[in-house]
């Protein structure tokens, strides 16, 4: 019943921008910390960013800090990932996640409760 559905992935040239969306249903959205993770071929899944329940605090991985921004719209049950200055090494499947742990930083909140199906982002050189 709970669904996290990502959209907005695709192919983009290096230096370009892309905005990912994750629409949630079947849960009380405002009670969940939301985040984004990514997994490149042959690599482990890594944290990209997360945002607090109110949207007042956000956390961004050092590898994408200054280029990526996470935001949420609780009225629309949607979390976004704005990706600018994309690089080929950003190529990965990007996953939306929802968690109820005590920390708004999903790196420290244990395993998220729910995951989306993922959306492919490919950055060409």
């Amino acid at each position: 019943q709970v669904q996290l559905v990502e959209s907005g992935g695709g192919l983009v040239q290096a230096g370009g921008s892309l905005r990912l969306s994750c629409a949630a249903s079947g849960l009380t959205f405002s009670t969940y910390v939301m985040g984004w993770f990514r997994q490149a071929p042959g690599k482990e899944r890594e944290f990209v960013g997360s945002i607090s329940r109110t949207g007042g605090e956000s956390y961004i991985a050092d590898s994408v800090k200054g280029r990526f921004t996470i935001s949420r719209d609780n009225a629309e049950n949607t979390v976004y990932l704005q990706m600018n200055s994309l690089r080929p090494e950003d190529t990965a499947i990007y996953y939306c996640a929802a968690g109820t742990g005590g920390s708004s930083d999903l790196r420290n909140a244990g395993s998220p409760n729910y995951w989306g199906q993922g959306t492919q982002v490919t950055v060409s050189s």
Side-chain angles (χ1 to χ4, degrees):
Q1 191 62 45
V2 173
Q3 290 190 107
L4 304 177
V5 181
E6 300 97 334
S7 61
L11 176 64
V12 65
Q13 294 183 6
S17 297
L18 211 57
R19 192 188 198 197
L20 305 183
S21 299
C22 172
S25 61
L27 78 171
T28 304
F29 186 74
S30 62
T31 68
Y32 284 82
V33 174
M34 301 298 300
W36 292 92
F37 293 74
R38 68 185 183 184
Q39 187 167 23
K43 303 288 185 65
E44 293 189 350
R45 187 175 298 184
E46 68 172 337
F47 171 83
V48 176
S50 63
I51 188 165
S52 65
R53 294 168 175 86
T54 64
E57 296 180 346
S58 63
Y59 305 86
I60 301 293
D62 289 343
S63 60
V64 301
K65 191 171 294 182
R67 300 188 297 119
F68 290 13
T69 303
I70 190 169
S71 61
R72 69 189 293 163
D73 186 341
N74 284 355
E76 297 294 330
N77 290 354
T78 302
V79 62
Y80 303 94
L81 184 69
Q82 179 66 48
M83 305 183 294
N84 299 324
S85 301
L86 283 162
R87 305 166 180 169
E89 53 263 42
D90 295 318
T91 295
I93 301 174
Y94 284 72
Y95 297 92
C96 176
T100 57
S103 178
S104 296
D105 185 344
L106 285 183
R107 289 169 292 192
N108 303 316
S111 181
N113 297 78
Y114 302 105
W115 294 91
Q117 82 288 346
T119 186
Q120 177 71 49
V121 172
T122 302
V123 184
S124 63
S125 59

